[in-house]
Amino acid sequence: MESVEFSRYLTMLTLSVHVIFATVGVGVPIMITIAHWLGLKRQDEHYLLLAKRWARGYVISVAVGVVTGTAIALQLALLWPRFMEFAGQLVALPLFMETFAFFFEAIFLGIYLYTWDRFKNPKLHFYLLAPVVLGSAMSALFITSVNAFMNAPQGFTLVDGQLTNIQPLLSMFNPAMPTKVAHVLSSAYMTTAFLLASIAAFHLWKGNRHPYHRKALALTMKVALIFSIATALIGDLSGKYLAEYQPEKLAAAEWHFETEGEAPLVLYGVLTETNEVKYAIKIPYALSFLVHSNPTGVVTGLNDIPEEVHPPYFIHYFFDIMVTIGIGLTFLSLLYWVALSRNWSFIKTRAFRLLLVASGPLAMVAIEAGWWFTEMGRQPWIMNGFMRTADGATDSPYVGFMFIAFAVLYIILVSGTAVVLTRMFKKNPVERELEKDSIEQRSVAK
Amino acid sequence: MTIEVIGISVLWMFLFGYVIVASIDFGAGFFNASTIITRKNHIVNSVIQRYLSPVWEITNVFLVFFFIGMIGFFPKTAYYFGTVLLIPISISIILLALRGSYYAFGTYGTKGHIGYTLMYGVTGVLIPASLSTALIVSQGGFIRDTQAGGIELDYLALFTSPFAWSIVALSLVSVLFISASFLAYYSSVAKDKEALKLFQRYTWIWSFPTIVTAIGIIIEMKWHNPSHFEGLISLWWLFALSFVCFIASLWLLKKREFGWSFIFVVFQFALAFYGYGLSRYPYLLYPNLTIYDGFTNETMAYALITAFIFGFVLLIPSLYLVFKLFIMNKPYIQKRKS
């Protein structure tokens, strides 16, 4: 295999691992903030403990997020030196600002974690979360804008291979950026909410009846519902963006070959070697409607796009996985909320709780599928329309070895994180911690 | 001053920041691990943990900052260093990853896990060695052209070069020296007499190898890269000043002025570091790349400098807060809970 293949696989591997921790890294601060705020407002120690315990687990995931993030930052230049040489002149600004945002977040996260008992006014300690939430959202914004730039490059003129007329802000605020950033943020909040809901649901499923877990589940599912709806709406806007700027990606995702009006939406199915779609569910007019808000709008098909720039057709499966899970989880959280407010009791059955337990991991699968879809969907380009992936890669013959080394590393990191997190919380259950806190408070009161 | 010079000065500042904070961090991990073996762990454990816990993430950001800034200001370096350094830097990343995660696992997860602590110590000494390959390669003489028209690292030349090994040795001993000096100061603030005694001794032990290897490298440069040697000699007064700071720091250590002693250690390294940087002007990678032919377009350079100034307005008060709360805060440092 060639270096370019290995470079692609290694980048995919690093990013697939990093995105797990990055998603949690963006999402958890907002959940901590909500819990901490509720705890202060209602004087409820359960919510305060939620914030404390989430923060404690969060540190582990931040640590792994930092190291995998460092890995991808350096790998960009190690694996794609030609690309970085070229694009470094165009996207250095958001890359640079991303590290600032992360720096900001890291500083205040450190302070927040180590000052639980150090401020006389508990509100001061709570306010430390603002820069953490802001920093994590900003770093997601900046880094996503770099990725958006690779999909929709602009803000420069290329004359005989020379870059002129460079406008850093214009390349940052490219057409792909608004929908991408919004989708990344809302899906991160959604996924994290489902992940934390999974934990609470797991305890309830095991038969724990502590109000702590019930409050946790109710809170996280509410947040999850709000962000699921937001994610779906933004996802729709992303589809409209694709139709206008990257029709080949949308067409490949939908197996849409003929340019036509009244285009159907293709769900599931398989593609034969002669590019025939089999066993699929076709919803008439739906694709045209999604793209143009008009059932007869014309949608560009793959046959009208030169074959050498077709993305791989299998991205359809990733697209299906993402959308199916997204819609499924939206309904799940909606159902939970309606049932909770009407006191329907089926949500307390073990079977339903098992569904809730599965929701977090499923949401993470959707995140991975979504990223694979968007990244493989812009093949063969590394910078859409300007540089092909094969021209950006390193020619070093050692990438294969590095792939193996990093694969081993990530196995250690991911399994280590799983082991440490489970042990941390198993050894120190909620009941014991609440008891310890109340003993401390009583001794203070005396 | 041209914009290229501003760019490289900013980056050099970050690299220096990383050298200092990372040295403290790497050395602390090493001392923590080595005292487990000599069964003196209980003495230093509390001091090291109190310092490291709130700042370990910040250390990593300095490195990424330098690196991203480098590609931003000098995009051509991405091609040269990226192509050549695939293996050494990948090894650094793997070590950094193991180190960072083991630290978190050991501190927040299973407290006092000996395996994690040892791993943390060992990786800490290997990282400076693997990272310093970047510095060695930038010196020139280790890159050759491939038949396909690309470039690659000449591993044989690298591994058999006494010059390269001297730089590795210097990076190792200076890490331990800087770290011991800081931790001596920190334990003096903590009023932790036993830790202080130990770190004071470590500072003495590691001070002399540091200065010997540093002088050795200047002499070796004469054969390795004569023109760079000329550059170093023309800046002899900077290195002389650095040496004066070294002597001053040892004298202050003897006088038990640990804070000032550490400050002079920083001065010593700052002078040597900037002197070294100046002496290689204008080369980023000798002889392939200077700061002028590798520079980004002007618009981006101004944008980066603007972002840099705004970022710093934000960062300096935040870092000050960290200092006030943890590093200069006597009640925090002295509270011996863990």
Side-chain angles (χ1 to χ4, degrees):
Chain A
M1 223 173 349
E2 283 188 67
S3 292
V4 56
E5 297 297 316
F6 276 123
S7 296
R8 286 184 59 199
Y9 294 139
L10 180 49
T11 309
M12 173 179 169
L13 181 67
T14 304
L15 280 170
S16 299
V17 175
H18 180 62
V19 79
I20 299 174
F21 298 97
T23 302
V24 172
V26 171
V28 175
I30 209 167
M31 298 301 299
I32 298 175
T33 309
I34 295 171
H36 195 156
W37 181 68
L38 284 174
L40 287 179
K41 203 180 126 197
R42 298 187 188 165
Q43 293 292 322
D44 188 331
E45 58 173 345
H46 289 155
Y47 286 111
L48 287 178
L49 187 63
L50 259 182
K52 225 180 206 177
R53 283 171 75 92
W54 283 345
R56 228 180 282 150
Y58 179 59
V59 186
I60 303 280
S61 82
V62 167
V64 185
V66 169
V67 298
T68 51
T70 310
I72 190 63
L74 291 160
Q75 276 177 355
L76 275 181
L78 295 174
L79 300 176
W80 311 100
R82 289 269 178 215
F83 166 67
M84 283 309 273
E85 181 186 0
F86 183 70
Q89 307 174 64
L90 303 163
V91 290
L93 185 65
L95 277 175
F96 201 54
M97 282 157 84
E98 198 261 350
T99 45
F100 265 117
F102 180 68
F103 211 149
F104 198 52
E105 181 198 346
I107 288 173
F108 282 93
L109 181 64
I111 300 178
Y112 176 77
L113 288 173
Y114 286 89
T115 51
W116 268 96
D117 313 308
R118 281 181 62 189
F119 291 108
K120 284 204 183 82
N121 180 357
K123 283 243 171 85
L124 278 181
H125 178 237
F126 170 72
Y127 292 142
L128 288 170
L129 281 170
V132 179
V133 173
L134 194 72
S136 61
M138 288 315 262
S139 66
L141 182 146
F142 290 128
I143 206 64
T144 311
S145 91
V146 175
N147 179 273
F149 172 83
M150 290 156 85
N151 278 283
Q154 68 166 29
F156 63 95
T157 321
L158 197 61
V159 185
D160 304 328
Q162 292 297 312
L163 285 169
T164 53
N165 192 22
I166 287 156
Q167 293 159 290
L169 288 177
L170 203 62
S171 14
M172 216 166 109
F173 294 96
N174 54 69
M177 188 249 195
T179 43
K180 242 183 209 273
V181 170
H183 199 63
V184 162
L185 283 177
S186 76
S187 63
Y189 295 144
M190 163 186 165
T191 303
T192 313
F194 277 116
L195 277 174
L196 297 173
S198 287
I199 298 172
F202 177 72
H203 286 285
L204 292 170
W205 176 74
K206 274 200 344 193
N208 191 325
R209 292 282 167 272
H210 202 286
Y212 171 92
H213 298 302
R214 264 189 247 163
K215 285 178 191 171
L217 184 64
L219 171 65
T220 47
M221 287 304 278
K222 193 184 217 171
V223 176
L225 173 62
I226 295 168
F227 285 110
S228 306
I229 295 170
T231 307
L233 291 176
I234 300 160
D236 177 53
L237 291 177
S238 308
K240 291 188 168 55
Y241 156 80
L242 282 185
E244 193 171 343
Y245 291 93
Q246 283 174 293
E248 68 283 0
K249 196 194 263 188
L250 185 75
E254 282 301 323
W255 286 343
H256 185 67
F257 290 93
E258 295 293 332
T259 300
E260 60 186 2
E262 307 179 2
L265 190 70
V266 178
L267 291 174
Y268 315 109
V270 288
L271 197 66
T272 63
E273 277 176 20
T274 52
N275 289 342
E276 269 177 88
V277 184
K278 275 190 176 168
Y279 314 115
I281 304 171
K282 285 190 186 177
I283 308 174
Y285 309 111
L287 186 61
S288 290
F289 188 76
L290 282 180
V291 168
H292 299 288
S293 307
N294 166 10
T296 55
V298 175
V299 182
T300 316
L302 284 165
N303 292 348
D304 282 349
I305 296 162
E307 203 167 336
E308 67 268 20
V309 298
H310 282 196
Y313 299 150
F314 60 73
I315 60 170
H316 173 76
Y317 302 113
F318 297 135
F319 186 74
D320 276 353
I321 293 172
M322 172 181 79
V323 172
T324 310
I325 293 178
I327 291 178
L329 288 182
T330 311
F331 279 110
L332 183 72
S333 50
L334 185 68
L335 189 65
Y336 176 85
W337 260 95
V338 173
L340 194 71
S341 55
R342 304 247 161 138
N343 257 328
W344 294 343
S345 62
F346 74 90
I347 54 168
K348 290 185 181 154
T349 57
R350 274 172 69 84
F352 190 79
R353 278 182 177 151
L354 204 58
L355 263 180
L356 295 178
V357 174
S359 68
L362 278 175
M364 196 51 91
V365 170
I367 293 270
E368 297 281 1
W371 274 113
W372 290 338
F373 157 64
T374 186
E375 290 307 286
M376 293 178 203
R378 71 184 155 97
Q379 288 308 316
W381 302 106
I382 191 167
M383 199 169 133
N384 199 14
F386 287 93
M387 188 186 264
R388 279 168 190 269
T389 310
D391 302 325
T394 181
D395 44 18
S396 168
Y398 307 111
V399 191
F401 297 110
M402 290 300 117
F403 179 84
I404 297 168
F406 276 98
V408 173
L409 171 74
Y410 298 140
I411 291 172
I412 296 174
L413 289 187
V414 172
S415 51
T417 310
V419 170
V420 168
L421 279 178
T422 7
R423 255 196 228 156
M424 224 166 112
F425 290 105
K426 252 197 180 157
K427 276 194 181 163
N428 189 13
V430 177
E431 293 81 3
R432 195 195 299 166
E433 213 169 331
L434 281 170
E435 205 176 306
K436 219 177 88 193
D437 280 359
S438 67
I439 291 169
E440 265 172 27
Q441 270 168 8
R442 250 176 278 148
S443 68
V444 168
K446 274 178 195 167
Chain B
M1 200 149 74
T2 61
I3 192 157
E4 289 89 346
V5 175
I6 297 176
I8 193 73
S9 308
V10 166
L11 291 177
W12 207 240
M13 190 174 91
F14 270 112
L15 193 57
F16 182 67
Y18 181 69
V19 165
I20 295 296
V21 289
S23 291
I24 296 174
D25 189 346
F26 293 147
F30 176 77
F31 292 132
N32 207 9
S34 69
T35 47
I36 284 185
I37 295 167
T38 56
R39 298 189 185 283
K40 286 177 185 158
N41 191 36
H42 57 282
I43 303 177
V44 298
N45 198 16
S46 150
V47 168
I48 289 178
Q49 289 301 332
R50 290 238 140 218
Y51 167 74
L52 282 182
S53 298
V55 301
W56 64 272
E57 281 179 280
I58 298 175
T59 312
N60 231 6
V61 186
F62 268 97
L63 176 67
V64 178
F65 229 130
F66 166 73
F67 169 77
I68 295 290
M70 188 81 179
I71 290 182
F73 280 110
F74 305 99
K76 270 210 167 71
T77 56
Y79 170 67
Y80 281 96
F81 289 108
T83 309
V84 171
L85 294 174
L86 175 70
I87 292 183
I89 297 298
S90 290
I91 292 172
S92 305
I93 302 172
I94 291 175
L95 291 171
L96 276 170
L98 289 174
R99 186 181 148 80
S101 50
Y102 280 130
Y103 175 71
F105 295 169
T107 311
Y108 306 100
T110 340
K111 268 211 174 78
H113 191 292
I114 294 197
Y116 293 153
T117 320
L118 286 181
M119 195 72 185
Y120 186 63
V122 173
T123 48
V125 241
L126 294 176
I127 294 167
S130 63
L131 280 180
S132 56
T133 25
L135 216 57
I136 298 167
V137 166
S138 72
Q139 209 41 251
F142 299 106
I143 293 180
R144 62 169 178 224
D145 297 320
T146 59
Q147 285 167 338
I151 47 174
E152 66 178 8
L153 187 55
D154 189 343
Y155 285 95
L156 188 69
L158 185 68
F159 282 112
T160 54
S161 156
F163 174 77
W165 286 108
S166 311
I167 292 203
V168 171
L170 174 66
S171 72
L172 288 183
V173 290
S174 52
V175 157
L176 297 175
F177 176 52
I178 294 172
S179 185
S181 172
F182 176 81
L183 290 169
Y185 159 65
Y186 202 70
S187 34
S188 81
V189 180
K191 294 197 177 135
D192 190 334
K193 281 197 187 120
E194 278 191 90
L196 174 61
K197 232 167 89 187
L198 204 62
F199 285 125
Q200 208 178 341
R201 211 177 75 225
Y202 288 153
T203 316
W204 282 109
I205 292 176
W206 294 109
S207 62
F208 293 101
T210 306
I211 211 76
V212 169
T213 41
I215 294 171
I217 285 167
I218 297 183
I219 298 168
E220 274 176 289
M221 192 70 91
K222 193 170 178 182
W223 291 280
H224 185 78
N225 184 339
S227 73
H228 193 171
F229 178 73
E230 296 292 317
L232 286 171
I233 293 302
S234 68
L235 292 166
W236 64 271
W237 52 277
L238 269 178
F239 296 97
L241 264 178
S242 167
F243 187 75
V244 171
C245 289
F246 171 72
I247 299 293
S249 81
L250 289 185
W251 185 71
L252 287 160
L253 187 71
K254 208 165 159 30
K255 289 270 164 197
R256 307 185 62 79
E257 290 280 349
F258 300 104
W260 283 107
S261 173
F262 174 68
I263 288 174
F264 272 92
V265 169
V266 174
F267 279 148
Q268 174 205 339
F269 277 90
L271 285 165
F273 197 77
Y274 280 93
Y276 169 79
L278 269 178
S279 72
R280 43 182 300 163
Y281 175 83
Y283 287 102
L284 289 169
L285 171 64
Y286 186 85
N288 305 49
L289 204 59
T290 71
I291 62 170
Y292 297 101
D293 49 40
F295 201 60
T296 186
N297 58 81
E298 219 165 83
T299 328
M300 188 49 93
Y302 284 113
L304 284 176
I305 288 171
T306 315
F308 177 75
I309 291 167
F310 276 111
F312 248 61
V313 171
L314 209 65
L315 280 188
I316 287 189
S318 326
L319 282 172
Y320 174 74
L321 196 63
V322 172
F323 262 82
K324 215 168 148 45
L325 283 170
F326 300 110
I327 295 171
M328 298 302 187
N329 191 302
K330 284 189 186 171
Y332 169 77
I333 302 174
Q334 289 169 3
K335 197 165 65 180
R336 300 255 219 109
K337 237 167 58 180
S338 57

